[in-house]
Amino acid sequence: MRRPVAGEVHVHYGQIYVESDPDSFGPDLTQAFAGQSAGLCGAAIPGALWLHTGLHTGNVGFTVEVHDHAPPLDPAWEDVVEVSFRPASTRSALVQWAGEASQELDLEETDYRVRYRSSFAVHRPSGRW
Protein backbone atom coordinates (compact mmCIF):
# COMPACT_ATOMS: atom_id res chain seq x y z
CA MET A 1 0.00 0.00 0.00
CA ARG A 2 1.21 3.50 -0.75
CA ARG A 3 -0.16 6.92 0.24
CA PRO A 4 0.33 9.60 -2.42
CA VAL A 5 -1.78 12.02 -0.34
CA ALA A 6 -1.94 12.19 3.45
CA GLY A 7 -2.77 15.34 5.38
CA GLU A 8 -5.01 18.35 4.91
CA VAL A 9 -6.37 19.71 1.65
CA HIS A 10 -8.37 22.89 1.13
CA VAL A 11 -11.90 22.67 -0.25
CA HIS A 12 -14.37 25.22 -1.53
CA TYR A 13 -18.07 24.43 -1.93
CA GLY A 14 -17.36 20.97 -0.46
CA GLN A 15 -15.58 19.87 -3.64
CA ILE A 16 -12.29 18.27 -4.63
CA TYR A 17 -11.50 16.28 -7.77
CA VAL A 18 -9.35 13.58 -9.27
CA GLU A 19 -8.32 14.60 -12.77
CA SER A 20 -6.24 12.70 -15.31
CA ASP A 21 -7.07 14.24 -18.68
CA PRO A 22 -4.46 16.92 -19.44
CA ASP A 23 -6.84 18.51 -21.98
CA SER A 24 -9.67 18.98 -19.49
CA PHE A 25 -10.32 21.59 -16.80
CA GLY A 26 -12.21 19.69 -14.14
CA PRO A 27 -15.39 17.64 -14.31
CA ASP A 28 -18.84 19.17 -14.80
CA LEU A 29 -21.20 18.53 -11.86
CA THR A 30 -24.18 17.35 -13.92
CA GLN A 31 -22.05 15.11 -16.12
CA ALA A 32 -20.01 13.73 -13.19
CA PHE A 33 -23.11 12.41 -11.41
CA ALA A 34 -25.14 11.40 -14.51
CA GLY A 35 -27.00 8.13 -13.97
CA GLN A 36 -25.82 7.76 -10.38
CA SER A 37 -27.96 7.50 -7.27
CA ALA A 38 -25.22 8.31 -4.72
CA GLY A 39 -24.06 11.92 -4.40
CA LEU A 40 -20.76 11.42 -2.61
CA CYS A 41 -18.52 10.60 -5.58
CA GLY A 42 -19.29 11.46 -9.21
CA ALA A 43 -17.62 8.96 -11.53
CA ALA A 44 -19.58 9.20 -14.79
CA ILE A 45 -16.86 11.13 -16.69
CA PRO A 46 -14.03 8.87 -17.88
CA GLY A 47 -10.75 9.76 -16.16
CA ALA A 48 -12.28 12.08 -13.55
CA LEU A 49 -13.88 11.92 -10.11
CA TRP A 50 -15.91 14.62 -8.36
CA LEU A 51 -15.65 14.18 -4.58
CA HIS A 52 -17.96 15.86 -2.06
CA THR A 53 -16.69 16.57 1.43
CA GLY A 54 -18.61 17.31 4.62
CA LEU A 55 -17.11 20.79 4.93
CA HIS A 56 -18.18 23.68 2.69
CA THR A 57 -14.94 25.69 2.80
CA GLY A 58 -11.73 25.08 4.71
CA ASN A 59 -9.14 22.41 5.38
CA VAL A 60 -10.15 18.77 5.61
CA GLY A 61 -8.13 15.70 6.44
CA PHE A 62 -7.67 13.68 3.26
CA THR A 63 -5.85 10.44 2.52
CA VAL A 64 -5.42 8.63 -0.79
CA GLU A 65 -4.27 5.03 -0.45
CA VAL A 66 -3.46 2.72 -3.36
CA HIS A 67 -3.80 -0.99 -2.49
CA ASP A 68 -3.08 -4.16 -4.45
CA HIS A 69 -6.22 -5.74 -2.95
CA ALA A 70 -9.42 -4.36 -1.46
CA PRO A 71 -8.89 -3.30 2.17
CA PRO A 72 -11.52 -4.31 4.74
CA LEU A 73 -14.46 -2.00 5.37
CA ASP A 74 -14.38 -0.15 8.67
CA PRO A 75 -17.82 -0.27 10.34
CA ALA A 76 -17.10 3.14 11.92
CA TRP A 77 -17.24 4.86 8.51
CA GLU A 78 -20.35 7.03 8.18
CA ASP A 79 -20.69 7.22 4.37
CA VAL A 80 -18.95 4.94 1.87
CA VAL A 81 -19.30 4.62 -1.90
CA GLU A 82 -17.37 2.52 -4.41
CA VAL A 83 -16.93 3.43 -8.08
CA SER A 84 -14.91 2.23 -11.04
CA PHE A 85 -12.15 4.51 -12.29
CA ARG A 86 -9.60 4.39 -15.08
CA PRO A 87 -7.19 7.33 -15.48
CA ALA A 88 -7.17 8.91 -18.96
CA SER A 89 -3.38 9.36 -18.73
CA THR A 90 -0.49 8.74 -16.37
CA ARG A 91 -0.83 12.33 -15.12
CA SER A 92 -3.48 11.87 -12.43
CA ALA A 93 -3.83 14.33 -9.57
CA LEU A 94 -6.03 15.29 -6.65
CA VAL A 95 -7.06 18.82 -7.61
CA GLN A 96 -8.50 21.54 -5.40
CA TRP A 97 -11.36 23.77 -6.50
CA ALA A 98 -10.55 25.95 -9.54
CA GLY A 99 -7.18 24.23 -9.85
CA GLU A 100 -5.78 26.24 -6.93
CA ALA A 101 -3.45 23.38 -5.98
CA SER A 102 -2.93 19.72 -6.85
CA GLN A 103 -1.10 16.66 -5.64
CA GLU A 104 0.16 13.98 -8.03
CA LEU A 105 -1.30 10.50 -7.52
CA ASP A 106 1.07 8.57 -9.81
CA LEU A 107 -1.61 6.17 -11.03
CA GLU A 108 -1.11 3.81 -13.96
CA GLU A 109 -3.56 3.77 -16.86
CA THR A 110 -5.42 0.72 -15.59
CA ASP A 111 -8.76 -0.10 -13.98
CA TYR A 112 -9.21 0.81 -10.33
CA ARG A 113 -11.99 0.30 -7.84
CA VAL A 114 -12.22 3.49 -5.77
CA ARG A 115 -13.67 3.41 -2.28
CA TYR A 116 -14.44 6.91 -1.05
CA ARG A 117 -15.63 7.57 2.44
CA SER A 118 -16.58 10.72 4.25
CA SER A 119 -16.97 11.41 7.94
CA PHE A 120 -18.46 14.62 9.21
CA ALA A 121 -19.00 15.74 12.78
CA VAL A 122 -19.58 19.26 13.98
CA HIS A 123 -18.11 20.25 17.33
CA ARG A 124 -20.30 22.85 18.96
CA PRO A 125 -18.79 25.51 21.27
CA SER A 126 -20.82 24.14 24.18
CA GLY A 127 -18.76 20.96 24.01
CA ARG A 128 -21.63 18.85 22.66
CA TRP A 129 -21.42 16.99 19.36
Side-chain angles (χ1 to χ4, degrees), residues 8 43 51 66 70 98 100 107 119 123 127 129:
E8 289 192 341
L51 307 169
V66 181
E100 292 176 339
L107 299 176
S119 179
H123 181 71
W129 290 91

Side-chain angles (χ1 to χ4, degrees), residues 80-96:
V80 180
V81 64
E82 287 193 11
V83 297
S84 296
F85 176 70
R86 183 179 184 93
S89 74
T90 56
R91 298 193 55 205
S92 54
L94 182 69
V95 180
Q96 294 180 22

Side-chain angles (χ1 to χ4, degrees), residues 36 41-49 81-87 110-115:
Q36 294 183 209
C41 176
I45 299 171
L49 298 173
V81 64
E82 287 193 11
V83 297
S84 296
F85 176 70
R86 183 179 184 93
T110 190
D111 293 327
Y112 291 90
R113 190 70 182 161
V114 174
R115 183 179 297 157

Side-chain angles (χ1 to χ4, degrees), residues 20-128:
S20 66
D21 183 349
D23 298 324
S24 174
F25 181 74
D28 172 78
L29 173 64
T30 304
Q31 293 174 349
F33 288 92
Q36 294 183 209
S37 58
L40 194 59
C41 176
I45 299 171
L49 298 173
W50 179 303
L51 307 169
H52 278 146
T53 68
L55 183 66
H56 183 277
T57 301
N59 292 334
V60 295
F62 206 95
T63 303
V64 175
E65 296 180 348
V66 181
H67 295 261
D68 291 330
H69 304 284
L73 284 171
D74 185 336
W77 292 353
E78 295 175 29
D79 291 311
V80 180
V81 64
E82 287 193 11
V83 297
S84 296
F85 176 70
R86 183 179 184 93
S89 74
T90 56
R91 298 193 55 205
S92 54
L94 182 69
V95 180
Q96 294 180 22
W97 187 82
E100 292 176 339
S102 65
Q103 296 182 48
E104 291 296 320
L105 299 177
D106 298 318
L107 299 176
E108 297 177 16
E109 283 184 75
T110 190
D111 293 327
Y112 291 90
R113 190 70 182 161
V114 174
R115 183 179 297 157
Y116 179 60
R117 69 134 177 142
S118 179
S119 179
F120 184 69
V122 176
H123 181 71
R124 304 197 189 285
S126 66
R128 294 179 303 180

